[in-house]
Amino acid sequence: MKRPRFLGRRRDLPADVVVESDAFGSFALTHEVAEEMRLLVRRQDLGSSGGRVVAICSTVRGEGATFVARSLAAAVAHDTMTSVCLVDCDWTEAPDENHVGLAGYLAGLVDPEEFVRKTSLDAFTYVEAGSVPLIKRSPAANSQALANVISELSDEHELVVLDIPAPSDAAHALALAHLADESILVIRQGGVPIERIEQAPSDPGEDHVSGVVLNDAKIRPPARPVSPLIAG
């Protein structure tokens, strides 16, 4: 297996979590990323309730939804041994039909026992997206067959994480989001106008968005020291 891709900026520190899989190769969470995911797990209470389905989405492509989905699933499985299934629902990556994983299962070409892939973490499994032609994506996202698949996975795992495309890339993303119990929105700092960020929770529905992740945040100290206020 090749050297894993490191997720996070501080690559000089030892990796906290390393995941290997024939489906996606391997990746490692740097300490900073692992700690942020642990905070997210605690704040969203993701390691305690069984059969929960969470969608990770973004406003536009490139904000890091896949990065957060993989990191979150790996951190939960590694730290808590909660059984996690990460489902890649982004059929927009490949233009041609690729009958593997989720796409192959929906097309009736992949058996249920074959489309869930194992990883090096016993509690972490993965479902590839495959690819679906553009005109078939919306019907597939709204199909009862897909709803049944997600329901079955939630029966078999304590946590199911859906990695879904951005609504700006794919209108069917909203149907995918509502296969989950809730959505976590990923926003890259400086990536989109503030007006779009304010509108983003209304896409899946504000009641459906349970949390927001500010990705690649750069927090700068004040230019000069700030004196504390003293009450007289």
Side-chain angles (χ1 to χ4, degrees), residues 4-227:
R5 293 180 297 110
F6 277 81
L7 305 185
R9 290 191 292 266
R10 292 296 308 277
R11 300 177 185 182
D12 54 318
L13 299 177
D16 274 22
V17 181
V18 178
V19 183
E20 297 178 353
S21 170
D22 292 338
F24 53 69
S26 61
F27 64 86
L29 305 188
T30 61
H31 180 72
E32 59 170 348
V33 171
E35 287 296 281
E36 290 297 331
M37 291 302 110
R38 287 163 182 150
L39 283 174
L40 182 60
V41 169
R42 180 174 294 276
R43 288 169 178 163
Q44 299 294 117
D45 195 24
L46 294 177
S48 60
S49 56
R52 193 165 169 188
V53 183
V54 177
I56 309 297
C57 54
S58 59
T59 53
V60 297
R61 178 176 291 276
E63 292 193 281
T66 296
F67 161 80
V68 172
R70 289 190 178 186
S71 301
L72 178 62
V76 171
H78 178 271
D79 288 2
T80 69
M81 289 303 294
T82 296
S83 60
V84 182
C85 185
L86 173 61
V87 184
D88 187 351
C89 298
D90 192 352
W91 300 316
T92 66
E93 288 294 323
D96 301 320
E97 286 188 271
N98 183 9
H99 292 307
V100 300
L102 196 56
Y105 180 80
L106 293 176
L109 300 174
V110 175
D111 293 333
E113 303 81 25
E114 297 176 351
F115 86 117
V116 179
R117 308 284 294 275
K118 294 182 179 179
T119 74
S120 56
L121 296 179
D122 290 340
F124 183 11
T125 56
Y126 177 71
V127 176
E128 296 174 86
S131 56
V132 176
L134 183 62
I135 61 172
K136 295 182 181 179
R137 289 174 189 167
S138 183
N142 287 280
S143 69
Q144 188 60 48
L146 180 57
N148 291 343
V149 169
I150 301 305
S151 177
E152 290 167 7
L153 289 173
S154 68
D155 288 340
E156 298 166 1
H157 299 81
E158 294 170 274
L159 177 65
V160 176
V161 178
L162 307 183
D163 177 9
I164 68 175
S168 60
D169 259 5
H172 65 272
L174 299 182
L176 293 171
H178 282 280
L179 292 169
D181 302 311
E182 63 201 84
S183 298
I184 295 176
L185 185 63
V186 179
I187 297 172
R188 185 181 296 276
Q189 184 180 22
V192 292
I194 188 64
E195 295 81 7
R196 183 67 186 91
I197 294 174
E198 291 173 346
Q199 177 193 341
S202 65
D203 288 340
E206 293 188 8
D207 292 340
H208 202 263
V209 176
S210 63
V212 176
V213 174
L214 183 61
N215 188 26
D216 202 19
K218 300 174 180 65
I219 302 174
R220 299 177 180 175
R224 57 183 179 181
V226 179
S227 299

